[in-house]
Amino acid sequence: MTVQVAQVKIEEVNFDQDLFIDVRSPGEFAEFRLPNAINVPLFSNEERAQVGTVFKRNSREEAIELGLALYAPKMEYFYKRIKDLQTEMPNRRIVVYCFRGGLRSRTIAGTIGLLGVDCVQLEGGIRSFRKYIQEGLEQEAQIQREYLVLSGHTGTRKTEILNQLQNKGYPVIDLENLAGHRGSIFGYIGVQPNSQKQFDYLLLKRLKQLEQSPYVIIEGESKRLGRVILPDFLLEGKQIGERLELHYPFWARVEHVYQTYDPIKYKGEIQEGIDKITKYLSYELKEEMKVLLDREDYKGVFAKLLEGYYDPRYAHKFSSYKSQATELEFETLDEGVEKVITYIEHYKTMIKK
């Protein structure tokens, strides 16, 4: 007895209602996945590498035989796991996918289908989703929208202000949050970085949510956030957009950086970050930093980094903007949020004219 595996195209799935079962390895799943997908891997990372090696060195047939040998002992687990998910979410269609909609997802869909669990296979696998995202971003790049750019030196609480604005319903695109990286040499500390593919999906999702807004609010980021490269249309929007330059007291910035990166908890990571930029520091600054690090005076370390490295680099970047900035000074986060909101409300009346 055989089961005909039904397929659906990426345009036919419902990202909110369908139950996506990703049968790729845990490593593939961690890099990029469909929304709210559940990983039920056919192979472990090591098993996938083993099958791939046999495919390359020997033949497709031997790789398939090895794959079946690895899969056979797991059949009962797959059936019970997916059956349990169906029981938990009985009103959701099960969509099984792998990398390109090939043997892995067809094997699982066929097996559980034969055992009475209704499901469909995603045609083209995760590759079709990637293509869908790329085409969506290309379409977004053609849309005319205004950009309000929050810029300022490192430690000026831009991310916290953006978070509060978004919570209040303003059309914020929090690029650092989407990338899982804060942008500086320490930006990966305490967060989970996203891959380029996952970032692109999250960005497209946010842009779709804001499609009725005539403007968006972004932070004045550089082209790269960790492993992620921002699309050209956002970089162009940053260059020509209305700019709000935030000014926060120097020692308040130092305190904020200290609290954000928690050098007591992440001492090793802080040292690793400093090592990466040592070649860009003057001899005098390196010597001062060495003394401060030996004393574990991390507030002093961050102050020196702001003064001797980050602030001069920002001054250079500031001069490259094509638009003039409106200056905004504040002493506390609440004051900063209030002043930014006042400015946004004025800005909204201007773009309507």
Side-chain angles (χ1 to χ4, degrees):
M1 180 180 177
T2 60
V3 171
Q4 185 68 34
V5 177
Q7 290 188 321
V8 293
K9 297 181 183 296
I10 191 66
E11 295 83 7
E12 298 170 337
V13 303
N14 186 318
F15 294 121
D16 296 320
Q17 296 299 321
D18 285 334
L19 172 58
F20 297 110
I21 303 295
D22 187 325
V23 300
R24 298 174 303 149
S25 66
E28 293 172 284
F29 179 81
E31 182 189 11
F32 181 49
R33 56 207 169 272
L34 266 73
N36 303 310
I38 297 173
N39 191 207
V40 186
L42 181 63
F43 302 130
S44 67
N45 295 332
E46 295 74 20
E47 289 170 340
R48 174 176 174 257
Q50 187 180 358
V51 171
T53 299
V54 170
F55 180 87
K56 291 177 182 178
R57 293 181 178 176
N58 300 350
S59 67
R60 182 176 186 274
E61 289 71 23
E62 288 189 41
I64 291 175
E65 289 177 4
L66 174 59
L68 288 173
L70 293 169
Y71 170 57
K74 306 176 185 178
M75 288 180 63
E76 182 180 2
Y77 162 76
F78 273 99
Y79 169 71
K80 289 183 177 179
R81 176 74 174 116
I82 297 176
K83 182 66 175 177
D84 287 345
L85 290 170
Q86 184 187 50
T87 301
E88 292 173 21
M89 295 167 273
N91 297 321
R92 299 178 68 179
R93 178 177 62 170
I94 296 176
V95 180
V96 181
Y97 72 91
C98 57
F99 178 59
R100 59 171 62 88
L103 196 54
R104 285 187 288 179
S105 56
R106 188 161 65 247
T107 297
I108 298 301
T111 300
I112 63 174
L114 184 63
L115 296 173
V117 178
D118 291 332
C119 66
V120 294
Q121 179 192 26
L122 177 62
E123 182 180 323
I126 194 76
R127 291 178 69 183
S128 67
F129 184 50
R130 176 63 176 159
K131 182 180 179 183
Y132 166 84
I133 292 167
Q134 290 173 320
E135 291 175 349
L137 288 176
E138 288 172 3
Q139 293 170 5
E140 290 292 335
Q142 304 305 314
I143 296 175
Q144 296 296 317
R145 55 169 64 89
E146 301 290 333
Y147 288 85
L148 177 57
V149 184
L150 264 62
S151 56
H153 290 84
T154 299
T156 49
R157 313 290 298 268
K158 298 183 293 293
T159 297
E160 287 79 0
I161 291 174
L162 287 173
N163 286 341
Q164 291 206 27
L165 292 176
Q166 184 165 331
N167 291 338
K168 294 176 184 295
Y170 287 94
V172 169
I173 302 177
D174 187 348
L175 297 170
E176 291 187 359
N177 181 54
L178 301 186
H181 197 283
R182 299 189 184 96
S184 74
I185 196 69
F186 308 121
Y188 69 96
I189 295 176
V191 295
Q192 181 61 50
N194 281 324
S195 67
Q196 182 73 52
K197 294 175 181 178
Q198 193 67 17
F199 169 83
D200 287 346
Y201 158 64
L202 295 171
L203 174 60
L204 178 61
K205 178 182 178 182
R206 184 58 178 155
L207 287 167
K208 293 292 187 184
Q209 292 171 345
L210 301 178
E211 62 184 359
Q212 299 302 317
S213 177
Y215 74 102
V216 294
I217 306 171
I218 62 173
E219 185 174 341
E221 299 289 358
S222 58
K223 183 173 183 176
R224 183 182 291 272
L225 284 170
R227 298 181 292 176
V228 165
I229 297 176
L230 301 184
D232 288 341
F233 71 89
L234 280 184
L235 295 173
E236 291 167 5
K238 181 193 75 171
Q239 284 292 329
I240 64 175
E242 184 79 11
R243 212 151 43 84
L244 190 55
E245 183 72 17
L246 305 181
H247 294 282
Y248 194 48
F250 179 80
W251 285 105
R253 290 168 54 207
V254 171
E255 179 65 28
H256 176 61
V257 172
Y258 180 85
Q259 295 298 330
T260 297
Y261 294 118
D262 192 357
I264 305 303
K265 183 177 180 180
Y266 297 108
K267 180 178 178 180
E269 289 85 347
I270 296 293
Q271 183 62 63
E272 181 181 329
I274 292 172
D275 290 342
K276 289 180 180 178
I277 61 172
T278 297
K279 61 183 177 181
Y280 301 111
L281 307 180
S282 67
Y283 174 79
E284 292 78 9
L285 182 54
K286 282 188 282 190
E287 290 300 304
E288 290 176 318
M289 295 270 291
K290 183 178 178 181
V291 172
L292 292 167
L293 286 167
D294 287 342
R295 284 194 239 152
E296 296 191 352
D297 180 3
Y298 287 101
K299 290 185 181 180
V301 168
F302 291 138
K304 288 296 180 182
L305 281 175
L306 292 180
E307 189 176 53
Y309 179 72
Y310 281 108
D311 286 4
R313 285 169 63 90
Y314 181 77
H316 176 73
K317 183 175 77 170
F318 184 89
S319 64
S320 69
Y321 283 110
K322 297 177 182 178
S323 59
Q324 295 295 315
T326 298
E327 311 283 334
L328 191 155
E329 297 184 6
F330 61 100
E331 300 284 333
T332 68
L333 177 60
D334 288 343
E335 181 190 4
V337 172
E338 183 179 343
K339 286 188 173 182
V340 171
I341 288 176
T342 299
Y343 180 83
I344 292 173
E345 293 304 318
H346 170 71
Y347 170 76
K348 286 162 62 176
T349 64
M350 296 298 293
I351 62 175
K352 287 180 180 179
K353 293 181 179 180

